[in-house]
Amino acid sequence: MTIKDVAKLSGYGIGTVSRVLNNHPDVSDKARKKILGVIEEVNFQPNNNARYLKKQSVSSLSIIVKGNQNILFADILEKIQYFLSESGENAEVSYIDEDDNEVECALSLCRERNPKGIFFLGGNLDYFGKEFKDIDVPCILLTNTAKSLNISNLSSLYTDDSKASYRLGNYLIKNGHRRIGVIGGTLSSAQVGFNRYKGCLKSFKENKISLDEENSFISCRYSMEDGYQAAKRMLKQMPDVTAIIAQCDTIAIGVMRAIYDAGLRVPDDISVVGFDGINLSNYCVPRLTTIRQDTGKMAMEGVKLMLHQIDCPGERKDISIPFQLLERESVKKM
């Protein structure tokens, strides 16, 4: 009989069982009573050597940040760390490239650091397949929905990207724009960029606007430099474009710079909208019209959910966080 067996029989996570065995106070009365009952029933005897080794490494939470140029993630990360600190918890942060496999990183962290929970800041759903079954701690994916995966220890908090981009598309069309380009993300259905693209397409279709995907959509990474280079390409292959939807604010800032460097002006010649609502978007010239994601609510609800699931595993949730369209100065009425 091992601690994993006790965890399975009690319905609680290994971390919760461990805290009960070590008389930690941060366990609910309900969980403690259930686990102690199982221990007594099966006459479980902890391995003292294993317990000693376990104590040598402090089990904290882990946060995996996908990409190191995403200002939105930096904002969410700062807020998560604040709320964790307020709850007496600490977390270790790991940065990976936006194209890297976050589940492989999580598996490595589980082997080396034994975290009691993992936050994923950004995620490609294609990676959350068979390998994820080897991760048995509570996990929360932020900014993308894990609802379709139905993994018992993986919850998610996200903005409805498709609905938000649909609103952006309609906003530009309402202001008279018919030649609209889209920059950023990929067309992989496992990533947020695909949902944002779908929302744009829906608004175009309802308003009988055709999208020449070859010329009016350009995939790029979520950085200012990539947004800049993508916009230069779009200006060449779609010279009559009057508005550009950038799939994040950092891309939008690069797009605006490329427009200015081409001798044009925002919004006089080309309107630009972004997505995320990062603080920097309010200090651009002109101020960027964008979708604001509520990073404070996302971080706070994510921390609350994580702390709850550490004690009560198996209660996965997928929570949509409301968004807001910020109408600023970067869109011209045609």
Side-chain angles (χ1 to χ4, degrees), residues 101-171:
N101 187 325
E102 58 271 29
V103 174
E104 286 184 357
C105 177
L107 287 166
S108 177
L109 291 173
C110 287
R111 290 190 296 266
E112 297 170 7
R113 303 181 189 176
N114 188 38
K116 55 186 176 183
I118 301 172
F119 289 98
F120 293 92
L121 268 180
N124 183 338
L125 300 187
D126 284 338
Y127 296 141
F128 290 78
K130 293 181 180 179
E131 288 186 338
F132 194 86
K133 70 180 185 335
D134 294 323
I135 300 174
D136 59 3
V137 297
C139 296
I140 295 181
L141 174 61
L142 298 171
T143 72
N144 198 356
T145 174
K147 187 175 182 179
S148 62
L149 301 177
N150 197 29
I151 298 173
S152 61
N153 62 324
L154 178 64
S155 296
S156 59
L157 291 96
Y158 60 95
T159 296
D160 189 330
D161 294 293
S162 181
K163 186 176 180 180
S165 291
Y166 172 77
R167 187 167 179 188
L168 274 179
N170 278 339
Y171 176 75

Side-chain angles (χ1 to χ4, degrees), residues 44-298:
F44 175 68
Q45 299 294 325
N47 184 319
N48 288 330
N49 288 332
R51 289 179 68 185
Y52 174 78
L53 291 172
K54 184 80 169 181
K55 288 180 181 179
Q56 304 313 299
S57 60
V58 178
S59 179
S60 63
L61 292 157
S62 287
I63 305 173
I64 299 174
V65 183
K66 202 168 170 68
N68 55 18
Q69 297 191 53
N70 193 315
I71 300 175
L72 176 76
F73 289 172
D75 184 25
I76 297 173
L77 174 62
E78 181 180 356
K79 290 179 170 65
I80 288 175
Q81 290 173 314
Y82 170 78
F83 291 124
L84 286 176
S85 177
E86 288 287 291
S87 301
E89 297 283 349
N90 65 307
E92 297 177 339
V93 182
S94 300
Y95 290 90
I96 62 173
D97 186 82
E98 67 178 66
D99 293 327
D100 285 350
N101 187 325
E102 58 271 29
V103 174
E104 286 184 357
C105 177
L107 287 166
S108 177
L109 291 173
C110 287
R111 290 190 296 266
E112 297 170 7
R113 303 181 189 176
N114 188 38
K116 55 186 176 183
I118 301 172
F119 289 98
F120 293 92
L121 268 180
N124 183 338
L125 300 187
D126 284 338
Y127 296 141
F128 290 78
K130 293 181 180 179
E131 288 186 338
F132 194 86
K133 70 180 185 335
D134 294 323
I135 300 174
D136 59 3
V137 297
C139 296
I140 295 181
L141 174 61
L142 298 171
T143 72
N144 198 356
T145 174
K147 187 175 182 179
S148 62
L149 301 177
N150 197 29
I151 298 173
S152 61
N153 62 324
L154 178 64
S155 296
S156 59
L157 291 96
Y158 60 95
T159 296
D160 189 330
D161 294 293
S162 181
K163 186 176 180 180
S165 291
Y166 172 77
R167 187 167 179 188
L168 274 179
N170 278 339
Y171 176 75
L172 289 174
I173 294 166
K174 182 185 74 174
N175 279 280
H177 295 277
R178 309 290 292 182
R179 293 291 291 162
I180 303 171
V182 181
I183 291 179
T186 71
L187 297 187
S188 164
S189 61
Q191 300 192 47
V192 296
F194 177 73
N195 290 326
R196 294 178 185 179
Y197 183 70
K198 280 200 310 181
C200 295
L201 285 183
K202 182 180 178 183
S203 67
F204 297 164
K205 185 176 181 180
E206 287 184 359
N207 289 277
K208 297 181 172 54
I209 294 176
S210 60
L211 182 76
D212 176 9
E213 191 172 290
E214 185 175 344
N215 293 313
S216 54
F217 170 76
I218 298 180
S219 172
C220 77
R221 290 162 64 92
Y222 292 87
S223 73
M224 297 180 197
E225 174 60 24
D226 282 74
Y228 179 86
Q229 296 298 336
K232 287 177 65 177
R233 283 178 54 199
M234 178 162 284
L235 292 177
K236 288 182 180 179
Q237 60 194 44
M238 194 180 178
D240 59 344
V241 63
T242 67
I244 294 175
I245 298 175
Q247 294 210 16
C248 79
D249 291 347
T250 49
I251 291 175
I253 293 168
V255 168
M256 291 168 71
R257 184 71 252 180
I259 291 170
Y260 277 96
D261 286 353
L264 303 171
R265 292 291 178 266
V266 177
D268 297 344
D269 300 303
I270 301 175
S271 295
V272 178
V273 295
F275 201 113
D276 288 339
I278 63 174
N279 288 336
L280 185 59
S281 68
N282 194 39
Y283 297 94
C284 300
V285 181
R287 289 184 169 89
L288 181 65
T289 293
T290 183
I291 292 291
R292 176 182 177 268
Q293 300 199 63
D294 193 339
T295 56
K297 186 174 180 63
M298 188 175 291

Side-chain angles (χ1 to χ4, degrees), residues 16-29:
T16 306
V17 175
S18 177
R19 290 199 297 281
V20 169
L21 290 170
N22 289 285
N23 295 316
H24 282 214
D26 55 338
V27 179
S28 67
D29 291 339

